[in-house]
Amino acid sequence: MRKLTITLILCVVTAFAAVAQSRIITDTLSSKVLGKDVPFNVYLPAGYDKSDAQYPVVYLLHGLYGNHTDWANTGRLKLVADLLIASGEAVPMVILMPCAGDEDVHHVQNGYFNMPGCNYEDFFFQEFLPAAEKKYRCIGDKEHRAVMGLSMGGGGSTVYCQRHPDMFSSCYAMSAWLDLNEGDKRTDLAETDKLYIVAKSVMDNSALNFIDNADDATLAKLKTVKWFFDCGDDDGLLDLSVQLHIKMVRKGIRNELRVRDGAHTWEYWHTALYNSLPFASRNFAK
């Protein structure tokens, strides 16, 4: 009996040790497009350092007022990813978390689109994506690449997939900032205010207008992406996700919409990871 107990303990310790081999590191990319060094976080799964294997990749985007450390520090990404991969609900993957903002939204530019003096979307696709995927041994094709994010990052994920459906197998948008509601028109802000600029960029790059204006060829490409919209029933952005879901259904684009109990909070986005990472995994090519 004692030998059996010791054996079980050793098995548990070994299992936890295997999970603990995963890690999150912080790296920096020098960007010519943005004219500065851009930090980002990377989740590397257990076994990464002991092999030369290539991995599927998830781009996980933060929200307004946030940065590249949010998902690790507040969203507890490592805990969730370790558990899901260990249980087989998610495949081993590299998760890239770029920085697209700062808590000082009035003086530091936030946002995932091209804006005056900050062509972030060009940086993302021309510099960050190819460099990060090469350095961190990502498979690097549509079938093994997904994008997801919260709020501003949820809107960024959606529009990135709309514009580049040939690059992503799936998109999981949490509490997504997809456009401006009528009450969001920030007429109280100066046009030079960075918050005004990012809000205008969301309106100018409206995910809802994109569907309204998409031609048949574009709609056909959008159908090659798996779409999932996840928003809380007490979230002020819920109406936008509902509107986009309906517009896409009417255009024949299949997508999932889930309205769960919750608001625009980290409690909600942390729990969303338990759905989003398996969703991405199911839609990676086997």
Short mmCIF file of all heavy atoms in Angstrom, two decimals, residues 34-84:
data_model
loop_
_atom_site.label_atom_id
_atom_site.label_comp_id
_atom_site.label_asym_id
_atom_site.label_seq_id
_atom_site.Cartn_x
_atom_site.Cartn_y
_atom_site.Cartn_z
N LEU A 34 6.90 51.73 -36.75
CA LEU A 34 6.47 52.57 -35.62
C LEU A 34 7.60 53.45 -35.10
O LEU A 34 7.35 54.37 -34.31
CB LEU A 34 5.93 51.69 -34.49
CG LEU A 34 4.70 50.84 -34.82
CD1 LEU A 34 4.29 50.01 -33.61
CD2 LEU A 34 3.54 51.72 -35.29
N GLY A 35 8.84 53.15 -35.48
CA GLY A 35 9.97 53.95 -35.03
C GLY A 35 10.29 53.78 -33.57
O GLY A 35 10.77 54.72 -32.91
N LYS A 36 10.07 52.57 -33.03
CA LYS A 36 10.36 52.32 -31.62
C LYS A 36 10.44 50.81 -31.37
O LYS A 36 10.07 50.00 -32.24
CB LYS A 36 9.27 52.93 -30.73
CG LYS A 36 7.89 52.32 -30.93
CD LYS A 36 6.85 52.95 -30.01
CE LYS A 36 5.48 52.31 -30.18
NZ LYS A 36 4.47 52.92 -29.28
N ASP A 37 10.92 50.46 -30.19
CA ASP A 37 10.92 49.07 -29.77
C ASP A 37 9.55 48.72 -29.20
O ASP A 37 9.01 49.47 -28.38
CB ASP A 37 11.99 48.81 -28.71
CG ASP A 37 13.40 48.92 -29.28
OD1 ASP A 37 13.54 48.85 -30.52
OD2 ASP A 37 14.35 49.10 -28.50
N VAL A 38 9.01 47.59 -29.63
CA VAL A 38 7.68 47.18 -29.18
C VAL A 38 7.80 45.89 -28.37
O VAL A 38 8.25 44.87 -28.89
CB VAL A 38 6.74 46.94 -30.38
CG1 VAL A 38 5.35 46.55 -29.89
CG2 VAL A 38 6.66 48.19 -31.25
N PRO A 39 7.41 45.91 -27.09
CA PRO A 39 7.49 44.70 -26.28
C PRO A 39 6.32 43.76 -26.57
O PRO A 39 5.25 44.19 -27.02
CB PRO A 39 7.41 45.23 -24.85
CG PRO A 39 6.59 46.48 -24.97
CD PRO A 39 6.93 47.08 -26.32
N PHE A 40 6.52 42.49 -26.30
CA PHE A 40 5.44 41.51 -26.41
C PHE A 40 5.74 40.33 -25.50
O PHE A 40 6.90 40.07 -25.16
CB PHE A 40 5.24 41.05 -27.86
CG PHE A 40 6.42 40.38 -28.50
CD1 PHE A 40 6.51 38.98 -28.55
CD2 PHE A 40 7.45 41.12 -29.08
CE1 PHE A 40 7.60 38.36 -29.15
CE2 PHE A 40 8.53 40.50 -29.68
CZ PHE A 40 8.61 39.11 -29.73
N ASN A 41 4.69 39.64 -25.09
CA ASN A 41 4.83 38.44 -24.29
C ASN A 41 4.60 37.21 -25.15
O ASN A 41 3.83 37.26 -26.12
CB ASN A 41 3.83 38.43 -23.12
CG ASN A 41 4.41 39.07 -21.87
OD1 ASN A 41 5.50 39.65 -21.90
ND2 ASN A 41 3.68 38.98 -20.76
N VAL A 42 5.24 36.11 -24.77
CA VAL A 42 5.11 34.85 -25.50
C VAL A 42 4.90 33.72 -24.51
O VAL A 42 5.67 33.56 -23.56
CB VAL A 42 6.37 34.54 -26.33
CG1 VAL A 42 6.13 33.32 -27.21
CG2 VAL A 42 6.80 35.72 -27.15
N TYR A 43 3.83 32.94 -24.73
CA TYR A 43 3.63 31.71 -23.98
C TYR A 43 4.22 30.56 -24.79
O TYR A 43 3.86 30.37 -25.96
CB TYR A 43 2.14 31.46 -23.74
CG TYR A 43 1.83 30.07 -23.19
CD1 TYR A 43 1.87 29.81 -21.82
CD2 TYR A 43 1.52 29.01 -24.06
CE1 TYR A 43 1.60 28.54 -21.33
CE2 TYR A 43 1.24 27.74 -23.56
CZ TYR A 43 1.29 27.52 -22.20
OH TYR A 43 1.02 26.25 -21.71
N LEU A 44 5.14 29.81 -24.15
CA LEU A 44 5.75 28.65 -24.78
C LEU A 44 5.31 27.41 -24.02
O LEU A 44 5.48 27.33 -22.80
CB LEU A 44 7.28 28.78 -24.76
CG LEU A 44 7.84 30.02 -25.49
CD1 LEU A 44 9.34 30.11 -25.28
CD2 LEU A 44 7.49 29.98 -26.97
N PRO A 45 4.73 26.43 -24.70
CA PRO A 45 4.16 25.27 -24.01
C PRO A 45 5.23 24.34 -23.46
O PRO A 45 6.40 24.41 -23.84
CB PRO A 45 3.35 24.58 -25.12
CG PRO A 45 4.10 24.92 -26.37
CD PRO A 45 4.59 26.33 -26.17
N ALA A 46 4.83 23.46 -22.57
CA ALA A 46 5.73 22.45 -22.03
C ALA A 46 6.34 21.64 -23.16
O ALA A 46 5.66 21.26 -24.11
CB ALA A 46 4.97 21.52 -21.09
N GLY A 47 7.64 21.41 -23.08
CA GLY A 47 8.33 20.64 -24.10
C GLY A 47 8.93 21.48 -25.20
O GLY A 47 9.71 20.95 -26.01
N TYR A 48 8.60 22.75 -25.25
CA TYR A 48 9.10 23.62 -26.33
C TYR A 48 10.62 23.64 -26.37
O TYR A 48 11.23 23.55 -27.45
CB TYR A 48 8.56 25.04 -26.15
CG TYR A 48 9.05 26.02 -27.20
CD1 TYR A 48 8.35 26.21 -28.38
CD2 TYR A 48 10.24 26.74 -27.00
CE1 TYR A 48 8.81 27.09 -29.36
CE2 TYR A 48 10.70 27.62 -27.97
CZ TYR A 48 9.99 27.79 -29.14
OH TYR A 48 10.45 28.65 -30.09
N ASP A 49 11.24 23.77 -25.21
CA ASP A 49 12.70 23.93 -25.16
C ASP A 49 13.45 22.63 -25.40
O ASP A 49 14.67 22.64 -25.57
CB ASP A 49 13.11 24.52 -23.80
CG ASP A 49 12.55 25.91 -23.59
OD1 ASP A 49 12.73 26.74 -24.49
OD2 ASP A 49 11.92 26.15 -22.56
N LYS A 50 12.75 21.51 -25.39
CA LYS A 50 13.41 20.21 -25.55
C LYS A 50 13.16 19.60 -26.92
O LYS A 50 13.43 18.42 -27.14
CB LYS A 50 12.94 19.25 -24.46
CG LYS A 50 13.34 19.68 -23.06
CD LYS A 50 12.92 18.65 -22.02
CE LYS A 50 13.39 19.07 -20.63
NZ LYS A 50 12.99 18.07 -19.60
N SER A 51 12.65 20.39 -27.84
CA SER A 51 12.38 19.86 -29.18
C SER A 51 12.64 20.95 -30.22
O SER A 51 12.85 22.12 -29.87
CB SER A 51 10.94 19.38 -29.29
OG SER A 51 10.05 20.47 -29.44
N ASP A 52 12.60 20.55 -31.48
CA ASP A 52 12.70 21.52 -32.56
C ASP A 52 11.39 21.56 -33.35
O ASP A 52 11.35 21.97 -34.50
CB ASP A 52 13.87 21.20 -33.48
CG ASP A 52 13.79 19.80 -34.07
OD1 ASP A 52 12.81 19.08 -33.77
OD2 ASP A 52 14.70 19.43 -34.85
N ALA A 53 10.31 21.11 -32.70
CA ALA A 53 9.00 21.06 -33.34
C ALA A 53 8.47 22.46 -33.64
O ALA A 53 8.85 23.44 -32.98
CB ALA A 53 8.01 20.31 -32.46
N GLN A 54 7.59 22.53 -34.63
CA GLN A 54 6.87 23.76 -34.92
C GLN A 54 5.47 23.67 -34.33
O GLN A 54 4.90 22.57 -34.21
CB GLN A 54 6.80 24.00 -36.42
CG GLN A 54 8.15 24.33 -37.05
CD GLN A 54 8.02 24.64 -38.53
OE1 GLN A 54 7.56 23.81 -39.31
NE2 GLN A 54 8.40 25.84 -38.92
N TYR A 55 4.89 24.82 -33.99
CA TYR A 55 3.64 24.85 -33.25
C TYR A 55 2.59 25.73 -33.93
O TYR A 55 2.94 26.72 -34.60
CB TYR A 55 3.88 25.40 -31.84
CG TYR A 55 4.70 24.50 -30.96
CD1 TYR A 55 6.09 24.54 -30.99
CD2 TYR A 55 4.09 23.58 -30.11
CE1 TYR A 55 6.86 23.71 -30.19
CE2 TYR A 55 4.84 22.75 -29.29
CZ TYR A 55 6.22 22.82 -29.34
OH TYR A 55 6.97 21.99 -28.55
N PRO A 56 1.31 25.43 -33.70
CA PRO A 56 0.26 26.39 -34.06
C PRO A 56 0.44 27.65 -33.22
O PRO A 56 1.06 27.61 -32.15
CB PRO A 56 -1.04 25.66 -33.70
CG PRO A 56 -0.66 24.24 -33.52
CD PRO A 56 0.76 24.21 -33.10
N VAL A 57 -0.13 28.75 -33.69
CA VAL A 57 0.05 30.01 -32.97
C VAL A 57 -1.29 30.71 -32.79
O VAL A 57 -2.14 30.72 -33.67
CB VAL A 57 1.05 30.93 -33.70
CG1 VAL A 57 0.57 31.28 -35.11
CG2 VAL A 57 1.32 32.20 -32.91
N VAL A 58 -1.45 31.30 -31.61
CA VAL A 58 -2.60 32.16 -31.30
C VAL A 58 -2.08 33.56 -31.02
O VAL A 58 -1.13 33.74 -30.23
CB VAL A 58 -3.38 31.64 -30.09
CG1 VAL A 58 -4.34 32.70 -29.56
CG2 VAL A 58 -4.15 30.37 -30.43
N TYR A 59 -2.68 34.55 -31.66
CA TYR A 59 -2.42 35.95 -31.34
C TYR A 59 -3.50 36.40 -30.37
O TYR A 59 -4.69 36.38 -30.69
CB TYR A 59 -2.42 36.81 -32.61
CG TYR A 59 -1.22 36.52 -33.47
CD1 TYR A 59 -1.24 35.48 -34.40
CD2 TYR A 59 -0.05 37.25 -33.32
CE1 TYR A 59 -0.12 35.18 -35.17
CE2 TYR A 59 1.08 36.97 -34.09
CZ TYR A 59 1.04 35.93 -35.01
OH TYR A 59 2.15 35.63 -35.75
N LEU A 60 -3.08 36.79 -29.17
CA LEU A 60 -4.00 37.14 -28.10
C LEU A 60 -3.85 38.62 -27.78
O LEU A 60 -2.82 39.06 -27.26
CB LEU A 60 -3.70 36.28 -26.87
CG LEU A 60 -4.60 36.42 -25.66
CD1 LEU A 60 -6.06 36.14 -26.00
CD2 LEU A 60 -4.14 35.48 -24.53
N LEU A 61 -4.88 39.41 -28.11
CA LEU A 61 -4.79 40.87 -28.06
C LEU A 61 -5.45 41.44 -26.81
O LEU A 61 -6.53 41.00 -26.40
CB LEU A 61 -5.45 41.46 -29.31
CG LEU A 61 -4.99 40.87 -30.65
CD1 LEU A 61 -5.64 41.64 -31.80
CD2 LEU A 61 -3.48 40.86 -30.80
N HIS A 62 -4.81 42.43 -26.22
CA HIS A 62 -5.34 43.08 -25.01
C HIS A 62 -6.31 44.19 -25.37
O HIS A 62 -6.54 44.51 -26.55
CB HIS A 62 -4.18 43.63 -24.16
CG HIS A 62 -3.41 44.73 -24.82
ND1 HIS A 62 -3.87 46.03 -24.90
CD2 HIS A 62 -2.19 44.75 -25.44
CE1 HIS A 62 -2.99 46.80 -25.51
NE2 HIS A 62 -1.97 46.05 -25.87
N GLY A 63 -6.88 44.82 -24.36
CA GLY A 63 -7.87 45.86 -24.56
C GLY A 63 -7.34 47.27 -24.32
O GLY A 63 -6.15 47.47 -24.02
N LEU A 64 -8.23 48.25 -24.46
CA LEU A 64 -7.91 49.64 -24.17
C LEU A 64 -7.45 49.78 -22.72
O LEU A 64 -7.96 49.08 -21.85
CB LEU A 64 -9.15 50.51 -24.42
CG LEU A 64 -8.99 52.02 -24.37
CD1 LEU A 64 -8.15 52.52 -25.54
CD2 LEU A 64 -10.36 52.70 -24.41
N TYR A 65 -6.50 50.67 -22.48
CA TYR A 65 -5.87 50.87 -21.17
C TYR A 65 -4.89 49.76 -20.81
O TYR A 65 -4.31 49.76 -19.73
CB TYR A 65 -6.90 50.98 -20.02
CG TYR A 65 -7.85 52.13 -20.11
CD1 TYR A 65 -9.09 51.99 -20.74
CD2 TYR A 65 -7.54 53.37 -19.54
CE1 TYR A 65 -9.98 53.05 -20.82
CE2 TYR A 65 -8.43 54.43 -19.61
CZ TYR A 65 -9.65 54.26 -20.26
OH TYR A 65 -10.53 55.32 -20.33
N GLY A 66 -4.70 48.77 -21.70
CA GLY A 66 -3.88 47.62 -21.36
C GLY A 66 -2.57 47.58 -22.11
O GLY A 66 -2.20 48.49 -22.86
N ASN A 67 -1.84 46.46 -21.91
CA ASN A 67 -0.60 46.22 -22.64
C ASN A 67 -0.34 44.72 -22.74
O ASN A 67 -1.20 43.91 -22.37
CB ASN A 67 0.58 46.97 -22.00
CG ASN A 67 0.87 46.51 -20.57
OD1 ASN A 67 0.76 45.32 -20.24
ND2 ASN A 67 1.26 47.44 -19.71
N HIS A 68 0.82 44.35 -23.21
CA HIS A 68 1.16 42.96 -23.49
C HIS A 68 1.22 42.07 -22.26
O HIS A 68 1.22 40.85 -22.38
CB HIS A 68 2.51 42.90 -24.20
CG HIS A 68 3.64 43.49 -23.41
ND1 HIS A 68 3.73 44.84 -23.14
CD2 HIS A 68 4.72 42.91 -22.81
CE1 HIS A 68 4.81 45.06 -22.40
NE2 HIS A 68 5.42 43.91 -22.19
N THR A 69 1.27 42.66 -21.06
CA THR A 69 1.38 41.86 -19.84
C THR A 69 0.02 41.48 -19.25
O THR A 69 -0.05 40.67 -18.33
CB THR A 69 2.19 42.60 -18.77
OG1 THR A 69 1.45 43.77 -18.32
CG2 THR A 69 3.54 43.04 -19.30
N ASP A 70 -1.05 42.07 -19.76
CA ASP A 70 -2.37 41.90 -19.13
C ASP A 70 -2.81 40.45 -19.07
O ASP A 70 -3.32 39.97 -18.05
CB ASP A 70 -3.43 42.71 -19.89
CG ASP A 70 -3.34 44.19 -19.61
OD1 ASP A 70 -2.42 44.59 -18.86
OD2 ASP A 70 -4.16 44.95 -20.14
N TRP A 71 -2.69 39.73 -20.19
CA TRP A 71 -3.19 38.36 -20.22
C TRP A 71 -2.42 37.45 -19.27
O TRP A 71 -3.00 36.52 -18.69
CB TRP A 71 -3.15 37.81 -21.65
CG TRP A 71 -4.31 38.25 -22.47
CD1 TRP A 71 -4.31 39.13 -23.52
CD2 TRP A 71 -5.67 37.84 -22.32
NE1 TRP A 71 -5.58 39.29 -24.02
CE2 TRP A 71 -6.44 38.51 -23.30
CE3 TRP A 71 -6.32 36.97 -21.44
CZ2 TRP A 71 -7.81 38.33 -23.44
CZ3 TRP A 71 -7.70 36.78 -21.56
CH2 TRP A 71 -8.43 37.47 -22.54
N ALA A 72 -1.14 37.72 -19.11
CA ALA A 72 -0.35 36.90 -18.19
C ALA A 72 -0.63 37.27 -16.74
O ALA A 72 -0.87 36.39 -15.90
CB ALA A 72 1.14 37.07 -18.49
N ASN A 73 -0.64 38.56 -16.45
CA ASN A 73 -0.73 39.00 -15.06
C ASN A 73 -2.15 39.00 -14.51
O ASN A 73 -2.38 38.60 -13.37
CB ASN A 73 -0.15 40.41 -14.93
CG ASN A 73 1.33 40.45 -15.23
OD1 ASN A 73 2.01 39.42 -15.20
ND2 ASN A 73 1.85 41.63 -15.53
N THR A 74 -3.10 39.45 -15.30
CA THR A 74 -4.48 39.57 -14.82
C THR A 74 -5.37 38.45 -15.35
O THR A 74 -6.24 37.95 -14.63
CB THR A 74 -5.08 40.93 -15.22
OG1 THR A 74 -4.15 41.97 -14.90
CG2 THR A 74 -6.39 41.19 -14.49
N GLY A 75 -5.15 38.05 -16.58
CA GLY A 75 -5.97 36.98 -17.17
C GLY A 75 -5.53 35.59 -16.79
O GLY A 75 -6.23 34.61 -17.09
N ARG A 76 -4.37 35.46 -16.14
CA ARG A 76 -3.83 34.17 -15.69
C ARG A 76 -3.76 33.16 -16.84
O ARG A 76 -4.17 32.01 -16.73
CB ARG A 76 -4.64 33.62 -14.52
CG ARG A 76 -4.50 34.45 -13.24
CD ARG A 76 -5.43 33.99 -12.17
NE ARG A 76 -6.81 34.39 -12.45
CZ ARG A 76 -7.86 33.93 -11.78
NH1 ARG A 76 -7.71 33.04 -10.82
NH2 ARG A 76 -9.08 34.34 -12.08
N LEU A 77 -3.22 33.63 -17.96
CA LEU A 77 -3.15 32.81 -19.16
C LEU A 77 -2.39 31.51 -18.94
O LEU A 77 -2.84 30.44 -19.38
CB LEU A 77 -2.48 33.61 -20.29
CG LEU A 77 -2.11 32.78 -21.52
CD1 LEU A 77 -3.36 32.31 -22.25
CD2 LEU A 77 -1.19 33.54 -22.44
N LYS A 78 -1.23 31.56 -18.30
CA LYS A 78 -0.41 30.37 -18.15
C LYS A 78 -1.17 29.27 -17.41
O LYS A 78 -1.12 28.08 -17.81
CB LYS A 78 0.89 30.70 -17.41
CG LYS A 78 1.86 29.52 -17.31
CD LYS A 78 3.14 29.94 -16.61
CE LYS A 78 4.13 28.79 -16.57
NZ LYS A 78 3.60 27.60 -15.84
N LEU A 79 -1.86 29.62 -16.35
CA LEU A 79 -2.64 28.64 -15.59
C LEU A 79 -3.64 27.95 -16.49
O LEU A 79 -3.74 26.72 -16.51
CB LEU A 79 -3.36 29.34 -14.44
CG LEU A 79 -4.43 28.51 -13.71
CD1 LEU A 79 -3.78 27.36 -12.96
CD2 LEU A 79 -5.23 29.40 -12.76
N VAL A 80 -4.40 28.73 -17.25
CA VAL A 80 -5.46 28.17 -18.10
C VAL A 80 -4.87 27.33 -19.22
O VAL A 80 -5.30 26.21 -19.48
CB VAL A 80 -6.35 29.28 -18.67
CG1 VAL A 80 -7.43 28.69 -19.57
CG2 VAL A 80 -6.98 30.10 -17.55
N ALA A 81 -3.87 27.87 -19.91
CA ALA A 81 -3.27 27.15 -21.03
C ALA A 81 -2.64 25.84 -20.56
O ALA A 81 -2.80 24.79 -21.21
CB ALA A 81 -2.23 28.02 -21.71
N ASP A 82 -1.95 25.87 -19.43
CA ASP A 82 -1.34 24.64 -18.91
C ASP A 82 -2.39 23.58 -18.63
O ASP A 82 -2.23 22.40 -18.99
CB ASP A 82 -0.58 24.95 -17.61
CG ASP A 82 0.73 25.68 -17.85
OD1 ASP A 82 1.15 25.78 -19.02
OD2 ASP A 82 1.33 26.14 -16.86
N LEU A 83 -3.48 23.98 -17.98
CA LEU A 83 -4.53 23.02 -17.63
C LEU A 83 -5.19 22.44 -18.88
O LEU A 83 -5.42 21.23 -18.97
CB LEU A 83 -5.58 23.69 -16.74
CG LEU A 83 -5.16 24.02 -15.32
CD1 LEU A 83 -6.24 24.85 -14.63
CD2 LEU A 83 -4.89 22.75 -14.51
N LEU A 84 -5.49 23.30 -19.85
CA LEU A 84 -6.19 22.85 -21.06
C LEU A 84 -5.30 21.94 -21.91
O LEU A 84 -5.77 20.95 -22.47
CB LEU A 84 -6.65 24.05 -21.87
CG LEU A 84 -7.78 24.88 -21.25
CD1 LEU A 84 -8.00 26.15 -22.06
CD2 LEU A 84 -9.07 24.08 -21.15
#
